[in-house]
Amino acid sequence: LLFLWSFTVSIFGIGGLLGSSGSRYLTVKFGKKKCLLCNNVLMIVAASIMGCSKISQSFEMILIGRFMCGVSAGLCVPLHHQYVGEISPRKLRGFANSTSSFFWTLGKAIGQISGQRELLGSQALWPLLMASCGLPALVQLVTLPFFPESPPYLLVQKGDTEGFKKAIRQLWGEGQHQAEIDDIVKEKATMKNTKILSVLELVKDRASRWQLYMIVTLTATIQLCGINAV
């Protein structure tokens, strides 16, 4: 039982590793908006599987659902940061990117509060608690189709100039946005002359060695700083 509980908890992280590893390939091939929409479907399916596990009397369904949730979360984190940053005008970009961290922490807090025995953590209601992760995914699945694809993706990856201009007007209005457009055009020109490194090549790259050390140290020690308790 101890092994099964430990595996049930940790399989979320395994799924997250796989999801984040495949995010770059999927975004380049299908675009950020389509990936987010498909990711929402994956999360809703995972929530449904976990929610039905008690009725089916199957702990295997919890394992499968947790793994799928991990894959969905692994895909969502880089996708969300990229998409929100790219659809925001320059003056709001920093604020928009910071909101994702706020809501990530808020979601953890709501999950921990809802998991109390007095609320959804009871013997009768815990399947609803496990299925509740599908609710935000459902909201995004319904609302996201009204948003355009990321303008940089349309211009840089697809070369769709008309679609790019249409997305800019829909997101930022009819005003002057030449500075933002120039930034995206410069990015496109830069990417043509820049080799995209694989994970192994990045690890071997001496120029990025200290940045990698810093990121790994921060990520590994953030759980020790008390943020979860806060």
Side-chain angles (χ1 to χ4, degrees), residues 45-155:
V45 172
S48 303
I49 290 173
M50 291 189 295
C52 295
S53 59
K54 185 178 181 182
I55 298 174
S56 304
Q57 296 183 345
S58 170
F59 72 88
E60 292 90 350
M61 292 176 68
I62 300 177
L63 277 170
I64 294 169
R66 284 277 296 174
F67 177 73
M68 291 173 65
C69 276
V71 173
S72 179
L75 281 168
C76 181
V77 173
L79 279 174
H80 178 80
H81 278 284
Q82 291 173 35
Y83 184 71
V84 169
E86 290 178 1
I87 67 173
S88 305
R90 183 194 292 177
K91 61 182 179 180
L92 296 175
R93 197 163 295 157
F95 171 76
N97 273 324
S98 65
T99 57
S100 60
S101 301
F102 168 76
F103 283 113
W104 183 263
T105 308
L106 181 64
K108 284 186 176 183
I110 291 173
Q112 290 178 348
I113 293 168
S114 302
Q116 299 300 309
R117 293 186 184 277
E118 294 79 8
L119 298 174
L120 295 179
S122 64
Q123 190 170 353
L125 297 178
W126 68 261
L128 290 178
L129 178 65
M130 300 205 74
S132 63
C133 60
L135 184 59
L138 181 62
V139 172
Q140 191 179 69
L141 185 65
V142 172
T143 56
L144 192 59
F146 297 99
F147 287 78
E149 180 56 89
S150 161
Y153 172 79
L154 291 172
L155 183 65

